[in-house]
Amino acid sequence: QVQLLESGGGSVQAGGSLTLSCVASAYIPRSNCRAWFRQAPGKGHEWVASMYDGGTVSAFYAISVKGRFTISLASPNNTAFLQMNSLKPEDTAMYYCAADGPAYCTGAITRAGYKYWGQGTQVTVSS
């Protein structure tokens, strides 16, 4: 069983930046589909971004964050990151990392598609 631990959340003003990290308790191959989701108060889980590295990095983003957020992996432990720039109040949510998603991240926008989840880190953006 792999445990994921997120960190890096906090409170920022609109236009600011944050970088979230997701450390795994065991090695996860770069070819494994990794993702970030978020859940705003009173709403369901929303897919934010996913990626895998099968030799070439493939990353996918929700329209709401494309161009502002970047998902990445860092060696040697393949810690996952979510760099968030130009933050907006509507980005306020609990952010969760996920791992062991569908092969090639195909259709990887639903919570049910991932085997491992972190406990979340809160991001609050004030106007």
Side-chain angles (χ1 to χ4, degrees), residues 8-14 16-18 20 84 87 92-93 121-127:
S11 297
V12 295
Q13 290 191 325
S17 299
L18 284 172
L20 306 183
M84 306 185 295
L87 283 162
T92 294
T121 185
Q122 178 67 37
V123 172
T124 302
V125 185
S126 57
S127 58

Side-chain angles (χ1 to χ4, degrees), residues 8-85:
S11 297
V12 295
Q13 290 191 325
S17 299
L18 284 172
T19 300
L20 306 183
S21 302
C22 176
V23 177
S25 62
Y27 176 76
I28 299 178
R30 294 182 68 86
S31 58
N32 188 280
C33 180
R34 309 283 292 275
W36 289 91
F37 286 74
R38 65 187 181 186
Q39 185 175 27
K43 297 186 177 180
H45 284 85
E46 176 191 15
W47 169 73
V48 174
S50 55
M51 72 167 291
Y52 73 96
D53 184 358
T56 301
V57 172
S58 295
F60 311 92
Y61 298 93
I63 292 175
S64 59
V65 306
K66 195 169 185 178
R68 299 188 297 122
F69 290 11
T70 303
I71 185 172
S72 62
L73 298 177
S75 299
N77 296 323
N78 294 331
T79 296
F81 296 93
L82 185 68
Q83 172 69 43
M84 306 185 295
N85 298 325

